[in-house]
Amino acid sequence: QVQLVESGGGLVQPGGSLSLSCTASGSIFHVAQMDWYRQSAGKQRELVGTIYADSRSNYADSVKGRFALSRDNDKNTIYLQMNSLKPEDTAVYYCHAGIQTRSWGPWREYWGQGTQVTVSL
């Protein structure tokens, strides 16, 4: 069984920084792309950024230049460094990953439980 566990959410003032992490654990053969999504009240879940196994990454326009993804393949962990945070970044942030649990097996999508990020005075 595969689990994604997020950590690092919390309350921060506008202009501040916060770092999230997400670790995939369980019976894992290979982790492909890993992503962060977010969902704020009354809105659809949106993609924040994606990082691939070779550490290439891309970001939503709303966070470009402020957020940065990094990845530790040995630990099956990704990190989201969030700088210059704005109130509109307030949301529940979800980790998502495409994972293969055995050689030649199918790729499946997994989600974390979500972690709250609140940007407020």
Side-chain angles (χ1 to χ4, degrees):
Q1 188 174 358
V2 174
Q3 283 188 319
L4 298 183
V5 178
E6 301 121 332
S7 63
L11 173 65
V12 64
Q13 292 185 352
S17 298
L18 209 57
S19 181
L20 305 182
S21 66
C22 171
T23 298
S25 63
S27 181
I28 296 171
F29 176 73
H30 184 67
V31 181
Q33 91 288 347
M34 297 183 77
D35 323 275
W36 285 100
Y37 284 76
R38 67 186 182 187
Q39 187 169 20
S40 52
K43 294 187 178 180
Q44 288 189 330
R45 192 172 295 189
E46 63 173 354
L47 178 63
V48 175
T50 296
I51 187 165
Y52 299 93
D54 61 1
S55 292
R56 288 179 300 118
S57 59
N58 48 50
Y59 302 90
D61 287 344
S62 59
V63 306
K64 275 181 185 175
R66 299 188 298 121
F67 290 12
L69 283 161
S70 59
R71 178 168 176 157
D72 185 334
N73 288 331
D74 290 337
K75 297 179 180 179
N76 289 326
T77 298
I78 62 169
Y79 306 92
L80 179 65
Q81 178 64 40
M82 303 183 291
N83 300 321
S84 302
L85 282 160
K86 305 174 181 180
E88 50 263 43
D89 294 316
T90 295
V92 178
Y93 283 69
Y94 295 92
C95 182
H96 168 266
I99 295 174
Q100 198 178 23
T101 57
R102 63 182 190 278
S103 179
W104 301 108
W107 292 93
R108 290 197 171 95
E109 296 184 63
Y110 295 87
W111 290 90
Q113 79 285 358
T115 185
Q116 177 70 46
V117 171
T118 302
V119 185
S120 180
L121 291 170

